[in-house]
Amino acid sequence: VTLESVKPASPATRSPVALPMQRKKRGPMLGLALLLVLIIGAAAIAFVMREHRAVPASAVSEVEVPTAAAEDDAQTSGALDINAFESAPPSEEAPPAPPPSDELVLRFSAVSWVEISDASGKRLVSRMGAPNEEIRVQGEAPFEVLFGNARSVTLEYNGKPYTNIPIDRRGVANFRLQRPREE
């Protein structure tokens, strides 16, 4: 073996094997850093989207930016004058009036099950009533009413006794309570 046959190759004929070895050392760290950046970016986007949905547009009010004089005063005093921020004048539109509410008053002479839902399907009450107990419920008619042991329940609708309660053989009343017609 001669010395010339062992000498290193010139840069033009160098083997491409050395370059992947260097990449092998940096590859995991670079990939991990890229993955971390992607996760942080996705979390930031998710946070912004959640915050955007959490504040309805109607809840955001306009705020005037303080004048340059107010900013100069704040910088010289070290504090920002809270009065420099004025909220926009209230809207001239009146809020819509809530729909009229109906009231039911239930009185129990014995233990009875009661379940009442309003026109929107919202369950207003669903529980046992005890002897000598009074339950007041407000909602929008028509009401879906269910009484177990219905003979032990008296019902008032908007301050007037309601006696037209259909009770079956088992003592259960399951009926729809309509708003009386206004005359």
Side-chain angles (χ1 to χ4, degrees):
V1 175
T2 66
L3 196 51
E4 288 182 358
S5 64
V6 178
K7 75 176 184 175
S10 68
T13 61
R14 201 176 269 186
S15 171
V17 175
L19 188 57
M21 295 286 252
Q22 291 173 351
R23 282 188 188 159
K24 206 179 236 186
K25 292 179 183 177
R26 279 189 298 175
M29 292 303 279
L30 184 62
L32 195 56
L34 182 60
L35 181 63
L36 185 60
V37 167
L38 289 173
I39 290 172
I40 291 171
I45 290 171
F47 177 76
V48 168
M49 295 299 289
R50 185 181 68 206
E51 289 299 313
H52 181 65
R53 278 185 267 145
V55 179
S58 62
V60 177
S61 63
E62 294 181 21
V63 176
E64 281 188 28
V65 177
T67 63
E71 288 178 4
D72 290 340
D73 290 344
Q75 289 175 356
T76 57
S77 70
L80 181 61
D81 181 13
I82 192 79
N83 296 324
F85 293 98
E86 296 177 18
S87 61
S91 174
E92 296 297 322
E93 298 175 23
S101 185
D102 296 302
E103 182 179 55
L104 302 177
V105 179
L106 310 167
R107 291 184 183 89
F108 301 89
S109 61
V111 174
S112 176
W113 176 258
V114 60
E115 190 171 298
I116 300 175
S117 300
D118 70 0
S120 70
K122 178 183 175 190
R123 185 165 292 161
L124 304 174
V125 65
S126 179
R127 67 181 188 91
M128 297 293 279
N132 302 316
E133 181 180 9
E134 181 178 281
I135 298 175
R136 292 182 178 268
V137 177
Q138 289 190 332
E140 202 58 40
F143 297 98
E144 295 296 327
V145 181
L146 174 65
F147 296 148
N149 193 14
R151 289 180 182 81
S152 68
V153 182
T154 59
L155 175 63
E156 269 184 27
Y157 181 41
N158 290 335
K160 297 177 183 168
Y162 186 83
T163 57
N164 193 20
I165 299 174
I167 302 173
D168 69 13
R169 290 182 295 168
R170 300 171 297 154
V172 175
N174 190 2
F175 62 101
R176 177 177 277 221
L177 183 58
Q178 301 281 351
R179 179 178 289 142
R181 292 187 186 149
E182 311 253 341
E183 295 177 18

